[in-house]
Amino acid sequence: MTEAADLTALAPRGVTLLGCGKMGGAMLEGWLASGLPPASVTVLDPNPSDRLKALAGEGLKLNPERLGEADVCILAVKPQMMGEAAPKVAGLAAGGTLYVSIAAGTPISAFERLFGEGAAIVRAMPNTPAAVGRGITALIGNARVSEAQMEAAETLLAAVGETVRLEDESQMDAVTALSGSGPAYVFHLIEAMEAAGVAAGLPQDLAARLARVTVQGAGELARLSPEDPAQLRVNVTSPGGTTAAALSVLMAEGEGLTELATRAVAAAAARSRELAG
């Protein structure tokens, strides 16, 4: 997590959050937990939650009639709503505000048309584990983004997980397909393991618990271990044993899990490119 002093220093004029749904809300909670005062945040949301209303009582600026200055404006509304919502914060560009978009499938060029070619814009792709502080966000900025602004964007997004920089915006479709959509693949894996356990004779509640905790534990082991996933797989696979029998199916040439995952990620990346127009 980012230290409180860093968050306050990086945005002395405050942060404006356009949209406060699940992802925007997760970021807001991360900032507050890291020490950013509610009074440093302005939220524009047409249907504010009870939590936002409570924070307004602590100084958070909720749907003000007139926007003040901001160092950073996070664009956290759905892509299909961006055309209607973005003009509400377009005036911030004149004050040098950095815009950070987390709208999937929306290229930087679209925001340059909305805010002007002189606007500093970072495109980011977080994922849903941000809700528990374990997300990962990929970022890329346009030519107007300074190194200090890029670091500010990383600091804000690091409040909900890890961050990585991309070399080129063209990589964003693959990022969207891998880490952006990736949690859904893991959730489906848990579903599949649960169903397989039931088919093998386990009660559903037991199969569900075993599948969920196994995936959770394996993920944590992969995160903390100095060994790569291939070696971790080898470590748990005894020659001729039960794991080897299962892997002979999952790693079957031409039809195994790697080929299936490759096709799935390719399909998601292709759809991301379609959405970007």
Side-chain angles (χ1 to χ4, degrees):
M1 290 291 182
T2 304
E3 296 295 331
D6 291 339
L7 284 175
T8 304
L10 70 87
R13 295 186 298 167
V15 178
T16 294
L17 178 61
L18 179 65
C20 197
K22 290 182 179 179
M23 191 62 70
M27 289 190 293
L28 175 60
E29 294 298 339
W31 303 335
L32 297 175
S34 297
L36 189 68
S40 294
V41 182
T42 298
V43 176
L44 301 178
D45 192 285
N47 299 297
S49 64
D50 290 341
R51 170 63 171 158
L52 284 178
K53 293 174 183 177
L55 287 171
E58 299 177 26
L60 179 142
K61 303 172 186 67
L62 181 59
N63 294 326
E65 292 185 7
R66 184 176 181 179
L67 281 181
E69 292 185 323
D71 285 289
V72 184
C73 177
I74 306 290
L75 307 171
V77 299
K78 295 182 182 301
Q80 60 268 30
M81 299 170 58
M82 193 64 72
E84 177 183 350
K88 298 177 182 178
V89 295
L92 296 175
T97 294
L98 169 67
Y99 293 97
V100 179
S101 166
I102 62 169
T106 308
I108 289 174
S109 59
F111 295 105
E112 289 175 335
R113 289 192 293 271
L114 284 168
F115 304 132
E117 293 185 359
I121 300 164
V122 167
R123 181 181 175 187
M125 172 50 62
N127 60 6
T128 55
V132 292
R134 296 295 296 275
I136 186 163
T137 303
L139 305 94
I140 184 78
N142 68 358
R144 297 290 183 175
V145 177
S146 67
E147 177 59 25
Q149 287 177 317
M150 197 69 183
E151 291 177 0
E154 288 178 314
T155 300
L156 284 170
L157 290 163
V160 291
E162 298 183 30
T163 64
V164 294
R165 293 193 193 188
L166 301 183
E167 295 178 356
D168 190 270
E169 191 180 3
S170 64
Q171 296 175 310
M172 193 62 81
D173 294 315
V175 168
T176 300
L178 181 58
S179 60
S181 299
Y185 314 155
V186 178
F187 300 147
H188 185 52
L189 174 62
I190 295 172
E191 290 181 291
M193 290 175 64
E194 177 185 340
V198 171
L202 294 175
Q204 184 154 3
D205 59 344
L206 177 57
R209 183 177 179 187
L210 288 169
R212 182 178 297 219
V213 178
T214 296
V215 171
Q216 176 189 28
E220 188 69 358
L221 179 59
R223 185 178 76 89
L224 297 176
S225 176
E227 298 178 315
D228 63 28
Q231 185 58 49
L232 292 173
R233 169 180 52 77
V234 170
N235 293 348
V236 77
T237 307
S238 300
T242 58
T243 305
L247 289 175
S248 69
V249 177
L250 291 173
M251 299 177 70
E253 186 175 352
E255 58 182 17
L257 185 57
T258 297
E259 288 78 12
L260 185 61
T262 299
R263 296 203 308 271
V265 170
R271 182 56 178 156
S272 179
R273 287 190 290 271
E274 290 173 1
L275 292 173

